[in-house]
C-alpha cells in the first residue's frame, strides 16, 4: 500500500509492506529521499534501557504494537498501547530509554 500525506507542510509517501507476517513501512520525501524506516519488532528485541522505559510508561496498560524507527543513523523505539482507561497512546524512546518527541 502506498499513501501520500502532508507532514509539516512537506509531501511524503508512506509505503506499507508486509513480509513473513511483519510490517515494514518506508517514509519517502517527494524528492525520493528516504526519511524513515518503521519496522515491527518484539519487545524482547528492544535494548534493555528502552524496554524498561516503555514498560514503565505503559504501566497497567496493554502494548498493541512495537516498532523500530530508523532515521539516518538514529534508531528509536515506538510502542503503541491502550492505557488502563481504554485510551490509545504511544511512547517513543531512544536506546538509552530517554523520551523522544
Amino acid at each position: 500500500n502506498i499513501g501520500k500525506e502532508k507532514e509539516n507542510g512537506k509531501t511524503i509517501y508512506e509505503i506499507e509492506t508486509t513480509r513473513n507476517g511483519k510490517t515494514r513501512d518506508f517514509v519517502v520525501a517527494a524528492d525520493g529521499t528516504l526519511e524513515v524506516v518503521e519496522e515491527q519488532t518484539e519487545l524482547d528485541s528492544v535494548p534493555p534501557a528502552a524496554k524498561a522505559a516503555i514498560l514503565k510508561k505503559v504501566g497497567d496498560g496493554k502494548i498493541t504494537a512495537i516498532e523500530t524507527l530508523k532515521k539516518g543513523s538514529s534508531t528509536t523505539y515506538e510502542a503503541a498501547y491502550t492505557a488502563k482507561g481504554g485510551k490509545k497512546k504511544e511512547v517513543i524512546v531512544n536506546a538509552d530509554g530517554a523520551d523522544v518527541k
Side-chain angles (χ1 to χ4, degrees):
N1 187 30
I2 300 174
K4 180 180 176 182
E5 301 174 19
K6 281 246 186 212
E7 195 170 277
N8 299 325
K10 184 174 163 182
T11 300
I12 60 166
Y13 297 88
E14 184 167 359
I15 300 92
E16 300 172 349
T17 66
T18 303
R19 183 175 180 182
N20 298 326
K22 293 201 175 208
T23 61
R24 180 191 281 170
D25 301 343
F26 302 90
V27 178
V28 180
D31 67 1
T33 304
L34 179 63
E35 297 283 320
V36 66
V37 177
E38 304 171 353
E39 189 167 3
Q40 182 182 354
T41 191
E42 303 297 326
L43 186 59
D44 288 337
S45 298
V46 173
K51 179 179 175 179
I54 289 169
L55 291 173
K56 182 177 180 183
K57 185 78 165 186
V58 171
D60 291 338
K62 180 177 177 74
I63 295 174
T64 55
I66 302 277
E67 290 183 323
T68 300
L69 308 175
K70 295 180 181 177
K71 184 174 185 176
S73 62
S74 171
T75 301
T76 56
Y77 304 90
E78 178 181 67
Y81 65 99
T82 304
K84 191 174 182 182
K87 188 172 181 180
K88 294 182 187 276
K89 296 184 173 192
E90 67 181 33
V91 58
I92 303 173
V93 298
N94 65 23
D96 295 333
D99 279 344
V100 176
K101 292 285 176 182

